[in-house]
Amino acid sequence: MNAGELTVIEAGSTQVTDLGRRRGPRYGVPVNGALDQRSARTANILVGNPDAAPVLEITALDVEFVADVDILIAVAGADGHLTVDGVVRPSNQPVSVRSGEAIALRQIQGGLRAYLAVRGSFDVPRLLDSCAPDSVLGFGGRLVAGATIALRHSTAPIFNAHFAAELYDLDAPRPAAGFVVDVTDGPDIEDFAATADRLFAQPYLVTPKSNHIGLRMTGPLPERRTQGEVLSRGVPVGAVEVPPGDELLVLHRGRGVTAGYPVLAVVTPGSLDVLAQVRPGQHLRFRRLSAADAAARARAELVELEALRLRVRSVFDALDALSTLTTGRTHP
């Protein structure tokens, strides 16, 4: 039984998603899911949810929502002006919202996407164990004004009565400043001979044709020096391809599971999150990283998120203890 509903007042460009359809590729279905995985995980951790719980992915445009029950939310990712009933509230922290109060996120800047999580998350349809939209299969899609999303839980307000503010600053990680994209060497790097280093020579401009399937960009293009057709084969999320023409293509989470262009490099998992925040018309630079260094950075990011999870857990445990002491009931 659902606890209540979240109503969309102003939809902007928003969809319900999660960390993706990990079972999808074995069936020829793209993984999809939140383009900035780290920010989606952070938002969920801040409200005590599992990492893969559904969240709202908000892209660029202003949004507004109203819940008909008390909830606890957190917003992570690109910076924005977050208000609850007109009162400014912090991003990257848990924020209490009372029933009927308007949640608005406006003026997203410094990036392209923000993620809104609700404690207990949403009750939404799933396909292959994921609620991530898939435009090819016609599953999910953009929210519209007036739509409602079922809420699994309500959470009574958590406030510091003396300061009228949240009880905690949990030092949550934020998206990296600047657009530097780390890559490891791809399987076809030898095909480009000495021209492969052009990838690191100058910034690339992201074009308006970019989307969740892949980012297209212009700049100094490496040139394939070998002849012969590249057969279609499995390609990873993050493959840096050099198709015929005047653009570089970086495949993202909506990419098909096979492709037939030479793969010059592969973007690291952490830098896929960076790519999720680059707007068309902005520049980025590529930086070569060894496979060992890429693995070490991925482990360090997981350690950072786990440390945040432990801090959040300690806060909720303390709140439960306080609630039991003062009222005899645990906090919802």
Side-chain angles (χ1 to χ4, degrees):
M1 181 177 179
N2 295 321
E5 291 182 334
L6 185 75
T7 299
V8 180
I9 306 302
E10 187 176 353
S13 179
T14 304
Q15 58 187 7
V16 184
T17 191
D18 54 24
L19 295 185
R21 193 161 287 107
R22 299 185 183 277
R23 293 174 55 205
R26 74 180 68 173
Y27 301 109
V29 177
V31 65
N32 285 305
L35 292 193
D36 182 348
Q37 296 265 296
R38 188 183 190 197
S39 293
R41 289 177 186 270
T42 298
N44 267 325
I45 290 171
L46 285 168
V47 294
N49 289 343
D51 288 17
V55 294
L56 299 183
E57 183 177 69
I58 301 163
T59 303
L61 303 178
D62 295 349
V63 295
E64 185 174 331
F65 312 96
V66 172
D68 60 3
V69 292
D70 297 338
I71 56 176
L72 186 71
I73 70 167
V75 174
D79 288 332
H81 185 68
L82 175 65
T83 61
V84 174
D85 234 28
V87 178
V88 176
R89 292 297 188 192
S91 296
N92 287 280
Q93 290 185 34
V95 174
S96 286
V97 180
R98 291 186 172 90
S99 173
E101 292 183 331
I103 306 161
L105 183 64
R106 307 188 184 282
Q107 301 171 20
I108 292 178
Q109 55 190 340
L112 185 59
R113 293 178 173 88
Y115 295 84
L116 189 152
V118 175
R119 182 166 173 80
S121 196
F122 308 105
D123 188 4
V124 291
R126 293 176 179 270
L127 174 67
L128 294 177
D129 300 327
S130 171
C131 70
D134 189 298
S135 56
V136 175
L137 297 177
F139 179 81
R142 304 287 179 188
L143 297 175
V144 297
T148 59
I149 311 167
L151 297 166
R152 290 186 177 275
H153 297 289
S154 63
T155 303
I158 307 172
F159 287 103
N160 182 329
H162 298 288
F163 302 104
E166 280 68 34
L167 285 169
Y168 26 66
D169 181 352
L170 293 161
D171 191 25
R174 296 174 179 267
F179 298 129
V180 178
V181 177
D182 291 327
V183 299
T184 57
D185 290 344
D188 304 316
I189 188 171
E190 298 298 332
D191 290 3
F192 296 89
T195 72
D197 286 339
R198 293 180 187 175
L199 185 67
F200 312 104
Q202 297 178 38
Y204 283 79
L205 176 68
V206 178
T207 76
K209 290 189 287 184
S210 300
N211 54 28
H212 69 290
I213 296 174
L215 281 79
R216 296 182 179 271
M217 52 197 73
T218 58
L221 295 181
E223 298 176 9
R224 187 172 180 239
R225 297 303 195 189
T226 59
Q227 302 297 318
E229 183 179 359
V230 178
L231 298 179
S232 291
R233 59 196 168 161
V235 291
V237 174
V240 180
E241 296 188 331
V242 187
D246 59 357
E247 290 182 328
L248 195 73
L249 175 62
V250 182
L251 301 182
H252 218 301
R253 298 186 63 81
R255 62 85 173 98
V257 296
T258 61
Y261 297 128
V263 177
L264 171 64
V266 179
V267 176
T268 64
S271 283
L272 283 170
D273 300 334
V274 173
L275 287 176
Q277 298 295 353
V278 183
R279 293 173 179 255
Q282 291 183 317
H283 289 84
L284 59 82
R285 297 193 74 107
F286 290 99
R287 179 172 61 190
R288 178 177 274 142
L289 207 61
S290 70
D293 285 343
R297 292 191 183 189
R299 288 193 296 270
E301 290 186 357
L302 290 176
V303 168
E304 186 178 26
L305 288 177
E306 183 60 27
L308 174 64
R309 192 188 329 274
L310 292 175
R311 293 195 295 273
V312 171
R313 187 176 301 154
S314 68
V315 166
F316 285 120
D317 287 347
L319 288 171
D320 284 342
L322 179 62
S323 179
T324 302
L325 181 64
T326 57
T327 67
R329 298 190 303 270
T330 57
H331 201 281

